[in-house]
Amino acid sequence: MKNRLEHPIFKILSETADDNGMEIYVIGGYVRDLLLHRTSKDIDIVVKGSGIKMAELTAKRLGGLNVNVFPKFGTAMLRYKGVEVEFVGARKESYRADSRKPIVEEGSLEDDQKRRDFTINALAISLNKATYGKLIDPFNGEKHLEERLIITPLEPGITFSDDPLRMMRAIRFASQLNFHIDPLTFQAIADNKERIKIVSIERIMDEFNKIMLSPEPSRGISLMDDSGLLKIVFPELTDLKGVETVDKIRHKDNFLHTLTVLDTVALYSGDLWLRWAALLHDIGKPATKRYIQGQGWTFYGHNHVGERLTAKIFKRLKLPQNEKMRYVQKLVSLHMRPIVLSEEEVTDSAVRRLLFDAGDDIDDLMTLAEADITSKNEEKVRRFLKNFKIVRRKLKEVEEKDSVRNFQPPIRGEEIISTFNLPPGPIVGEIKNAIKEAILDGIIENSYETARTYMFEITKQMGINRMDNNN
Ligand code: CTP
């Protein structure tokens, strides 16, 4: 292990601890990631005694580095050459039933290791010179890393009831690292699921977003579902579950469909918010589901309901209320447009409208819409994918010709007001809109001169002069 502790901070920590007669270890996620050959910038240090004192001694040795001290938690942190080092004294912890805040007492290294969440996160490496690089692994963490196993060092009910966020962490690690959760550990998540309610939604979402960013997010979401956590944290998703049959016609299970779409999008994009759009694209379906004789199952307007629900969900889950949310809303609202387009004959004007509405998000929208084709009917999928190719080609052609992606109508409202001496009001919007529509329909080209000529034509037809006189 010695030669893998490459960062210069380790040698400094080792010397500082030895000079001051302190026991020192690197512990937790850094050791796990080292054994998994993943790089990590967060180093957790445990000492026998005071973590704050050790941090201060290290900072002094480094020429007076700045230390952030958190006396309430007995921890301290410093930054050095691209890493963040957090110091804490080895401790025993016990928790009260109604809170995540522990009662802390000084303890041995093993006390400290056993109060950690999983055996793979309880590994420590000694940094003192005599034992430098020695792995201290009382709970078989190294073996569990090889077996790709998430298991708690203590009886899992204790570990989870101590800190219920760990239930989300277990699932997040399983999804992120493609590990499996030990059956008893998993059962304890199911048994303790209600305790997730004492954890702040921000922390839960932090883990959820790590699940969303994992290679196959459906793994984590399915585990949340199987344990019962999903219904508590995100009931809108579990509402998508189930299949109904009327007159022998069944609709697809929208939960499973959503997970497939999400995993497919994840193959093509690491963008968190595009993945969120995949997760929420059909969220409006349960509320709009109707069986109509002769038509079968319908979900009219589910994209618009989905757009509204997205805002509600983002608010409740304390996700950003900014352009990220608006981006997800936009994709949810437009997600069927490319497919509808590919079903019809693809006209230039329909493509131009799609480009106008999607703007710079057109490529993401196409990724989502293409992933949305999950029919079991292979012939149907082939046909759609072929038509999608045509839509993509047309998008390119129209974009090159008309550049409508970031289109702004060339005539502004003020110009209409001053040219016709009109009061501001709906009529101005009507004229502006008519010009925009004409450009999008390909009746006139996207230039100022043509748009101005067109403005005079339509205002004449609208009798604007006469209205002018009346005013
Ligand atoms: N830990 C814990 N219980 C928690 C959070 C953390 O026992 N609820 C312990 C684990 O030993 C963990 C270490 O604290 O390895 C550091 O936690 P953190 O930095 O949050 O996570 P990492 O395990 O380092 O993983 P990542 O960096 O992927 O978040």
Side-chain angles (χ1 to χ4, degrees), residues 27-30 32-33 38 40 42 44 100 115-118 121-122 163 165-166 169 172-173 176 207 210:
I27 196 163
Y30 191 87
R32 177 198 69 220
D33 287 347
R38 285 156 52 101
S40 170
D42 294 333
D44 286 318
R100 289 184 68 231
R115 72 173 183 85
R116 290 178 180 263
D117 52 4
F118 309 112
N121 288 341
D163 179 358
L165 178 67
R166 291 168 169 172
R169 282 173 60 90
R172 182 262 284 197
F173 284 119
Q176 195 178 43
E207 297 300 332
K210 287 181 181 168

Side-chain angles (χ1 to χ4, degrees), residues 10-29:
F10 290 114
K11 201 163 160 272
I12 290 154
L13 290 167
S14 176
E15 289 166 4
T16 313
D18 277 352
D19 286 356
N20 292 281
M22 291 171 87
E23 263 180 54
I24 185 165
Y25 306 90
V26 53
I27 196 163

Side-chain angles (χ1 to χ4, degrees), residues 49-83:
S50 164
I52 296 175
K53 187 174 156 213
M54 181 64 205
E56 281 166 348
L57 289 167
T58 308
K60 205 166 141 207
R61 199 178 189 96
L62 288 168
L65 272 190
N66 190 32
V67 186
N68 293 327
V69 179
F70 308 97
K72 217 170 119 195
F73 302 98
T75 63
M77 191 271 280
L78 59 81
R79 291 197 179 86
Y80 179 65
K81 294 198 172 168
V83 291

Side-chain angles (χ1 to χ4, degrees), residues 21 45 120 155 168 204 302 328 335 364 395 399 412 431 471:
I45 296 296
I120 60 165
E155 198 275 295
M168 285 297 295
I204 297 174
H302 76 270
V328 176
H335 78 268
D364 291 352
L395 276 167
E399 171 72 356
R412 300 169 66 92
I431 297 166
N471 284 345

